[in-house]
Amino acid sequence: MKNLLILSLLYITLQANAQGLNERVIKLTDQLDSIGVATFEANYSHGLRTEYIVTVSCELYDDSPAPIKYQDQQGNILSVTPEQDKRIRDLWRRSHESYDLIRSTSRLLAEEGTECYIWESHRNGIDSLLYSVALRDFTNQQDKTYMPDLSTNPEWSKYGGAKEGFILKANPSRFLPNNDMEAYKKNRFQPKSEISFTYRLTVEEEDEDTVYYVDYKEFAGMIDKVLQTDGVKSHPILITHDKGAKVEDFKSEIISCDITHPDLDGETHGTVYEIETAELANTLRRLLSAEIGNYVDRHRNLNYLYRPLQDYSGDMRGMFSSNNWVIRTEFHTKHWYTFDKNLSCRVLLHHVGSKAYVLVLESVNDFWLPKDWHKLKSWKNGVKEYLYLQL
């Protein structure tokens, strides 16, 4: 099984390299990895087009050597050890290092691009950037003098036809009220800017005119074989709502959703797997990713977004909280293909307390995930049926 894992994790990178994955992007991910900044890599396909995606994000803080004022929300001064202060400063330093690497790489890539749009602002010491670059094979379907309208963010769609391209965005933090520098200066824990970099490369294109939805029964059975082992418990779950129901009607009851057909009844069904220990969770996480990687390799006409998961030696919170899906597949009638249902399927990773969970779910129309999902047999229009009696 270990060999399957290695093949799964290397397949997309090798395939992309064979198609010409940009060496500057490879170097960037290696540099970011060396300073402890994680990159997010995924394989995306909508049947006719498969893409290799690399994304990274960070926040910029004031990492000057000036003393940091540690206080709680009430203004009380907090006691912080030198070691704690050093860890915070190291985190901010790595964020600036990653930003500098991303920005310098973007500049070099833009110089090599076939077309690009670049905008920068540095008002009040806060960087705001937009780089939208087609690196090769781009045919502009619009006016050649087209200027992106930043208010509607069409910049990626402008170069969506490029076989290779990237977007760099740096914006004032959404936590910075009205770009108020005075508010920022009073609290150095407020990030000045938020940065995201996304690189896409088309690694395969097909002439097929049919896109298939995942065979959920087969797919769920494959995953069940991985997770049916000692130290794992499982139970089915059913989540339904009537057409016209709105997430806001249930306030904070729905903690995750994907609304595509609000005028239709919604149903999500599947299995929740509970894993007892972090060590077992990490092992199963790797095996699960390998099996899913093999599955999408065998089914090239699926409509999916797959994230191959690298090894992880940290705590369960980081392992099961950030970017917590392994794969998402979908098929909606809004596409130019016909299908009798609006279906989506996903495998999600979560942690709750000391437990790790894997959710394997299929949705008809909207996907909703309610609070207490790990304790539920069913959730029907807000009515809960728990696994065990709630005292």
Side-chain angles (χ1 to χ4, degrees):
M1 188 64 74
K2 183 177 180 181
N3 288 337
L4 291 178
L5 169 67
I6 294 171
L7 289 174
S8 175
L9 297 182
L10 291 180
Y11 171 77
I12 297 170
T13 301
L14 292 174
Q15 186 185 43
N17 280 332
Q19 298 290 331
L21 181 63
N22 194 285
E23 293 183 0
R24 296 195 188 279
V25 176
I26 297 174
K27 182 179 179 180
L28 173 63
T29 58
D30 289 343
Q31 290 173 317
L32 292 173
D33 182 64
S34 70
I35 62 175
V37 177
T39 57
F40 167 83
E41 301 180 20
N43 184 12
Y44 167 77
S45 173
H46 51 73
L48 305 184
R49 179 171 177 164
T50 302
E51 295 176 339
Y52 180 75
I53 304 170
V54 178
T55 65
V56 63
S57 61
C58 60
E59 295 177 332
L60 291 184
Y61 295 84
D62 178 2
D63 61 345
S64 69
I68 301 173
K69 188 176 182 180
Y70 294 98
Q71 59 185 24
D72 61 21
Q73 294 181 346
Q74 288 71 43
N76 300 313
I77 302 300
L78 301 176
S79 176
V80 175
T81 66
E83 290 77 14
Q84 291 172 323
D85 179 81
K86 183 178 183 301
R87 283 200 297 271
I88 291 171
R89 292 183 182 277
D90 284 346
L91 176 64
W92 291 355
R93 174 185 54 78
R94 288 199 303 272
S95 185
H96 269 272
E97 288 180 6
S98 64
Y99 172 59
D100 291 340
L101 287 169
I102 293 167
R103 189 176 174 189
S104 60
T105 299
S106 296
R107 285 175 171 171
L108 292 171
L109 287 171
E111 291 177 0
E112 300 169 354
T114 58
E115 291 196 38
C116 65
Y117 176 87
I118 297 176
W119 175 85
E120 297 193 16
S121 170
H122 309 282
R123 187 178 302 174
N124 294 323
I126 300 177
D127 283 356
S128 292
L129 309 175
L130 172 62
Y131 284 54
S132 179
V133 179
L135 291 171
R136 58 174 171 162
D137 297 339
F138 176 71
T139 301
N140 193 346
Q141 301 299 321
Q142 305 183 56
D143 184 345
K144 292 182 179 180
T145 61
Y146 174 76
M147 293 288 285
D149 177 1
L150 302 186
S151 65
T152 56
N153 294 322
E155 60 274 10
W156 178 253
S157 63
K158 171 175 169 55
Y159 299 121
K163 288 190 175 181
E164 184 180 23
F166 76 93
I167 284 284
L168 168 64
K169 292 182 182 180
N171 299 309
S173 169
R174 61 184 182 276
F175 301 112
L176 193 59
N178 301 318
N179 301 338
D180 185 354
M181 279 301 296
E182 291 305 316
Y184 159 70
K185 290 176 181 177
K186 293 176 183 177
N187 184 359
R188 290 177 64 186
F189 290 94
Q190 293 221 21
K192 292 192 296 182
S193 293
E194 298 174 338
I195 293 88
S196 66
F197 172 90
T198 302
Y199 166 87
R200 296 173 185 249
L201 170 66
T202 298
V203 295
E204 182 177 283
E205 285 198 87
E206 300 286 352
D207 294 328
E208 298 284 343
D209 59 359
T210 304
V211 177
Y212 299 99
Y213 177 69
V214 64
D215 182 331
Y216 179 74
K217 184 177 180 180
E218 175 191 54
F219 184 74
M222 172 199 69
I223 294 173
D224 190 66
K225 287 182 181 179
V226 175
L227 297 177
Q228 284 290 0
T229 185
D230 292 340
V232 179
K233 295 187 294 185
S234 65
H235 70 267
I237 189 170
L238 174 65
I239 303 158
T240 64
H241 64 82
D242 294 338
K243 63 181 179 181
K246 299 179 181 178
V247 170
E248 49 266 34
D249 293 341
F250 301 95
K251 298 182 179 179
S252 60
E253 181 67 26
I254 304 301
I255 59 174
S256 181
C257 62
D258 183 5
I259 300 173
T260 54
H261 294 275
D263 56 333
L264 300 174
D265 293 337
E267 175 183 312
T268 294
H269 57 265
T271 305
V272 177
Y273 296 88
E274 179 183 317
I275 306 172
E276 292 182 354
T277 67
E279 181 179 8
L280 179 59
N282 196 26
T283 299
L284 292 176
R285 175 180 178 271
R286 297 196 305 269
L287 297 177
L288 187 65
S289 178
E291 285 298 305
I292 293 175
N294 293 330
Y295 184 86
V296 297
D297 288 347
R298 296 194 305 269
H299 299 79
R300 303 307 299 170
N301 288 83
L302 289 178
N303 183 28
Y304 68 89
L305 182 59
Y306 160 61
R307 182 193 180 198
L309 300 174
Q310 281 73 39
D311 199 359
Y312 188 86
S313 58
D315 65 20
M316 192 178 296
R317 288 172 298 175
M319 179 171 66
F320 274 77
S321 294
S322 300
N323 298 312
N324 66 341
W325 52 265
V326 185
I327 188 170
R328 291 182 60 180
T329 76
E330 61 181 337
F331 205 112
H332 302 306
T333 53
K334 66 182 180 181
H335 291 283
W336 55 91
Y337 309 103
T338 59
F339 209 70
D340 59 349
K341 292 181 180 179
N342 306 295
L343 298 173
S344 62
C345 166
R346 67 207 76 216
V347 176
L348 303 173
L349 309 178
H350 284 283
H351 90 280
V352 179
S354 62
K355 300 287 186 179
Y357 295 87
V358 176
L359 289 80
V360 185
L361 303 172
E362 182 182 49
S363 298
V364 181
N365 302 322
D366 292 351
F367 160 72
W368 286 15
L369 187 65
K371 191 180 295 183
D372 288 344
W373 51 265
H374 57 296
K375 301 178 182 179
L376 299 177
K377 287 183 180 178
S378 66
W379 186 98
K380 300 178 180 179
N381 287 316
V383 178
K384 302 177 184 179
E385 182 183 3
Y386 285 92
L387 290 169
Y388 308 106
L389 180 64
Q390 299 297 298
L391 301 177

